[in-house]
Amino acid sequence: MAARHPVFNQQVVIDTTPLPDNIPKVREIGASSAPLLSASYFIGARCKAYNDDYMLCKTQAHGKGELECMKEGRKVTRCAASV
């Protein structure tokens, strides 16, 4: 066996820059994939309009809509949290 110790050069980067005021504030849902998957049918039915707006924004941004579509994404999260 080699006496070499593993070296990891990955770091957690946390961006503390506040979001612009025109992006609505929303709490994260904080659920794992299991409850979200079981509720996905109901979330999809209730939040279809918000999800369609978000997907349209992402399609029109051609993969570069992280900040441009943040407002629509927050609306989807807020709707999913209300289910």
Side-chain angles (χ1 to χ4, degrees), residues 7-73:
V7 177
F8 300 102
N9 59 359
Q10 298 174 350
Q11 297 177 351
V12 176
V13 179
I14 299 174
D15 188 5
T16 58
T17 307
L19 292 173
D21 290 334
N22 63 345
I23 297 174
K25 309 273 187 273
V26 65
R27 288 187 327 127
E28 294 298 321
I29 294 177
S32 66
S33 61
L36 288 176
L37 186 59
S38 64
S40 64
Y41 177 78
F42 303 104
I43 292 172
R46 179 182 271 183
C47 304
K48 183 175 180 5
Y50 297 113
N51 195 33
D52 289 346
D53 287 343
Y54 176 70
M55 294 308 293
L56 180 65
C57 179
K58 292 290 279 187
T59 302
Q60 291 174 345
H62 302 292
K64 299 184 184 202
E66 287 83 16
L67 284 178
E68 290 81 6
C69 300
M70 184 76 71
K71 188 175 183 179
E72 286 83 1

